[in-house]
């Protein structure tokens, strides 16, 4: 599709989440290692390949367009030409269950 | 466009300032600890990066939402778009955690397509969509090499 997410952007968000998690884990490990008296080992960094990122972008694009489509359906049923927050609220629970 | 920017611009700025204030306080509190200050500084840097990525992410969401709304022949209220962006960002963070765990469970360091597809296993329609998308991607790659080969063989003939 024409409009989708930038792979680089998604990858940087992933990396940020992973590094945040790794840092948390490191702290725990260090505490444990001090207690046991062992040197901490280097943790492994997670990476992602290009196709995985493309599929992730597609997943997120589907999520966003689903949100708009479902909200549009409710707005149409109410006879309004504009999607409002209340329409989004109506579809939100099912949307979050579906993703 | 103008409407969306107008409504959601003031809130992030306020939030940023509030957070900065909180960060400074945290640093001051932890100054005695020495090491603590370094940790909070790191956290602040991390937050700054998150903010930047969040803003870039929001821009992508805006373009997708506007295109989709146009396709549906619907207008969309300005304050709805940042909500969708926020939801999508949270989904991205959750997705990152999921695929990392899946890859680790498979004994891999690197995340591949299967991990991402697996993250959608609760929704069969979505699973099907992603699976066919991944097949398309897979089909594209060997074809490119085949085309190159064909082109080179054509060159040889001509």
């Amino acid at each position: 599709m024409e409009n989708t997410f930038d792979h680089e952007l998604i990858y940087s968000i992933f990396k940020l989440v992973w590094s945040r998690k790794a840092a948390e884990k490191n702290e725990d490990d260090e505490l444990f290692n001090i207690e046991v008296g062992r040197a901490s080992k280097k943790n492994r960094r997670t990476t992602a390949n290009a196709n995985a990122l493309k599929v992730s972008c597609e997943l997120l694009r589907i999520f966003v367009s689903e949100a708009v489509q479902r909200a549009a359906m409710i707005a149409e049923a109410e006879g309004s030409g504009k999607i409002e927050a209340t329409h989004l609220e109506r579809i939100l629970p099912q949307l979050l269950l579906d993703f | 466009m103008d409407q969306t920017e107008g409504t959601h611009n003031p809130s992030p700025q306020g939030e940023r300032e509030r957070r900065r204030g909180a960060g400074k306080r945290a640093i001051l509190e932890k100054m005695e600890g020495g090491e603590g200050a370094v940790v909070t500084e790191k956290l602040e840097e991390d937050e700054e990066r998150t903010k930047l990525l969040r803003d870039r992410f929001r821009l992508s969401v805006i373009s997708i939402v506007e295109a989709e709304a146009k396709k549906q022949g619907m207008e969309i209220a300005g304050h709805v778009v940042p909500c969708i962006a926020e939801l999508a960002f949270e989904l991205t963070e959750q997705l990152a955690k999921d695929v990392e765990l899946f890859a680790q469970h498979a004994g891999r360091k690197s995340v591949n397509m299967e991990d991402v597809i697996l993250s959608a296993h609760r929704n069969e329609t979505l699973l099907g969509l992603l699976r066919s998308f991944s097949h398309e991607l897979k089909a594209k790659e060997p074809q490119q090499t085949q085309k190159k080969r064909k082109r080179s063989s054509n060159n040889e003939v001509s």
Side-chain angles (χ1 to χ4, degrees):
Chain A
M1 290 281 178
E2 336 76 63
N3 275 313
T4 186
F5 290 99
D6 183 17
H7 308 159
E8 296 286 319
L9 172 64
I10 300 300
Y11 198 19
S12 351
I13 296 174
F14 277 14
K15 274 194 205 150
L16 189 77
V17 174
W18 292 337
S19 68
R20 203 186 295 157
K21 224 177 135 198
E24 268 169 34
K25 212 181 155 205
N26 250 10
E27 261 171 42
D28 290 351
D29 280 359
E30 257 164 43
L31 278 178
F32 176 76
N33 284 332
I34 287 166
E35 272 170 24
V36 183
R38 220 176 13 198
S40 62
K41 58 174 181 187
K42 213 66 181 133
N43 68 304
R44 337 181 287 162
R45 266 291 169 86
T46 314
T47 55
N49 71 21
N51 278 349
L53 289 175
K54 279 182 195 158
V55 180
S56 312
C57 290
E58 179 68 6
L59 174 68
L60 293 166
R61 193 193 62 79
I62 293 174
F63 174 77
V64 172
S65 63
E66 266 302 309
V68 176
Q69 278 173 28
R70 292 186 191 189
M73 219 152 72
I74 297 286
E76 212 177 280
E78 283 184 6
S80 134
K82 194 171 187 181
I83 298 167
E84 296 282 353
T86 46
H87 303 138
L88 184 66
E89 268 171 24
R90 284 271 297 279
I91 55 112
L92 194 55
Q94 190 58 45
L95 185 75
L96 291 184
L97 279 174
D98 284 343
F99 282 86
Chain B
M1 262 320 247
D2 288 332
Q3 230 179 349
T4 53
E5 274 166 18
T7 44
H8 72 72
N9 247 357
S11 59
Q13 266 174 359
E15 199 177 286
R16 198 175 295 156
E17 260 165 36
R18 191 170 49 75
R19 273 196 191 166
R20 237 178 230 160
K24 267 181 199 159
R25 236 172 294 132
I27 285 179
L28 285 175
E29 275 163 17
K30 292 213 170 175
M31 269 307 193
E32 302 120 329
E35 237 176 79
V38 180
V39 173
T40 30
E41 222 161 77
K42 248 188 195 168
L43 271 178
E44 226 181 34
E45 202 185 288
D46 187 83
E47 229 162 64
E48 206 82 341
R49 263 186 73 72
T50 316
K51 239 190 141 88
L52 196 84
L53 288 173
R54 204 183 279 259
D55 286 346
R56 283 182 59 198
F57 187 81
R58 190 176 280 175
L59 286 177
S60 310
V61 172
I62 289 173
S63 71
I64 295 172
V65 165
E66 304 232 310
E68 195 59 48
K70 202 181 265 178
K71 215 188 277 171
Q72 300 284 318
M74 277 276 180
E75 257 184 275
I76 190 150
H79 52 279
V80 177
V81 185
C83 295
I84 296 176
E86 191 59 32
L87 289 168
F89 193 81
E90 247 149 63
L91 180 72
T92 316
E93 288 182 322
Q94 194 55 55
L95 182 67
K97 285 178 198 159
D98 280 353
V99 291
E100 187 188 30
L101 285 175
F102 292 156
Q104 273 174 3
H105 189 69
R108 273 184 273 108
K109 270 191 211 173
S110 135
V111 173
N112 65 21
M113 284 197 289
E114 284 305 312
D115 298 324
V116 183
I117 294 170
L118 197 61
S119 74
H121 73 104
R122 282 171 193 268
N123 185 336
E124 270 175 35
T125 327
L126 187 62
L127 198 69
L129 275 174
L130 290 182
R131 195 149 271 155
S132 60
F133 185 76
S134 75
H135 284 316
E136 267 172 42
L137 282 180
K138 262 188 206 160
K140 255 184 212 165
E141 275 170 9
Q143 260 175 13
Q144 275 172 351
T145 50
Q146 270 174 10
K147 268 182 195 167
K148 270 178 199 164
R149 252 180 250 149
K150 265 184 195 169
R151 215 175 284 155
S152 60
S153 63
N154 281 348
N155 284 349
E156 277 165 24
V157 171
S158 59

